[in-house]
Amino acid sequence: NAGCVQNCTNLDGQYMCSCDDGWLLNADAHGCDDVNECAADNGGCAQNCANSDGMYLCSCDDGWVLNADAHGCDDVNECADGNGGCAHTCTNADGSYACSCNGGYELSANQHGCQDINECANGNGGCAQNCNNAAGSYSCSCNAGYSLNVDGKGCTNINDCSPNPCLNGGSC
């Protein structure tokens, strides 16, 4: 091997040492030093480059996957697999995703689940008299002797004496 660390080529009356891919013949013309492929242009890797003896590997950040050329990174559509774990709506973005909820619901602390908003707990839901919470919505209602206005929130006193007081509980 004539003192060559990796490869030796016999020539007429002499020899020549060489190195495998990923290695560079050092100054003594016998030994081989690792080439840090990541030092130049990140090794051609789109995101992460990890150098090791005689080679390097590209990798991708969370939310991305290494593509077929082993250098580029493609977005992972987390929403395509089980709706990203979102209870209602999953929206994919480059390298990430976000969950959101339908109207009447708010995102829970785990950022995936949705819980009903109790609209009645805030200002009686804007209802003049009674607020009735339901899953994802609410409705207003009025006490006896009142009718719900067309706005769905206000209440108007029913005139028990008009047009026929006997039909509406009035005195005859």
Side-chain angles (χ1 to χ4, degrees), residues 80-128:
D81 183 17
N83 199 38
C86 301
H88 289 177
T89 303
C90 183
T91 304
N92 189 56
D94 282 347
S96 67
Y97 70 103
C99 299
S100 58
C101 300
N102 299 337
Y105 292 87
E106 62 187 357
L107 205 55
S108 59
N110 70 8
Q111 300 298 302
H112 287 80
C114 294
Q115 56 195 33
D116 177 56
I117 296 171
N118 183 353
E119 295 87 354
C120 298
N122 185 11
N124 201 37
C127 300

Side-chain angles (χ1 to χ4, degrees), residues 1 4 6 10 12 67 77 87 104 115 122 127 137 146 152:
N1 197 359
C4 297
Q6 289 184 0
N10 189 37
D12 265 345
N67 67 23
N77 183 352
Q115 56 195 33
N122 185 11
C127 300
S137 68
Y146 291 85

Side-chain angles (χ1 to χ4, degrees), residues 2-116:
C4 297
V5 172
Q6 289 184 0
N7 305 309
C8 182
T9 304
N10 189 37
L11 304 171
D12 265 345
Q14 58 183 342
Y15 66 94
M16 182 175 69
C17 297
S18 63
C19 302
D20 296 331
D21 288 343
W23 299 89
L24 185 64
L25 194 61
N26 66 23
D28 73 5
H30 289 83
C32 296
D33 296 324
D34 176 54
V35 173
N36 182 354
E37 295 88 353
C38 298
D41 194 32
N42 200 39
C45 301
Q47 291 180 359
N48 306 307
C49 184
N51 188 63
S52 59
D53 286 345
M55 61 180 290
Y56 71 102
L57 292 172
C58 298
S59 64
C60 302
D61 297 331
D62 288 344
W64 300 86
V65 64
L66 199 61
N67 67 23
D69 72 4
H71 287 81
C73 295
D74 295 326
D75 175 53
V76 173
N77 183 352
E78 295 87 353
C79 299
D81 183 17
N83 199 38
C86 301
H88 289 177
T89 303
C90 183
T91 304
N92 189 56
D94 282 347
S96 67
Y97 70 103
C99 299
S100 58
C101 300
N102 299 337
Y105 292 87
E106 62 187 357
L107 205 55
S108 59
N110 70 8
Q111 300 298 302
H112 287 80
C114 294
Q115 56 195 33
D116 177 56

Side-chain angles (χ1 to χ4, degrees), residues 91-170:
T91 304
N92 189 56
D94 282 347
S96 67
Y97 70 103
C99 299
S100 58
C101 300
N102 299 337
Y105 292 87
E106 62 187 357
L107 205 55
S108 59
N110 70 8
Q111 300 298 302
H112 287 80
C114 294
Q115 56 195 33
D116 177 56
I117 296 171
N118 183 353
E119 295 87 354
C120 298
N122 185 11
N124 201 37
C127 300
Q129 292 181 358
N130 305 308
C131 185
N132 311 297
N133 190 55
S137 68
Y138 73 103
S139 62
C140 298
S141 62
C142 301
N143 297 331
Y146 291 85
S147 65
L148 190 63
N149 292 351
V150 293
D151 69 1
K153 295 183 182 248
C155 295
T156 301
N157 184 13
I158 298 171
N159 184 346
D160 294 326
C161 296
S162 173
N164 185 342
C166 296
L167 294 177
N168 296 315

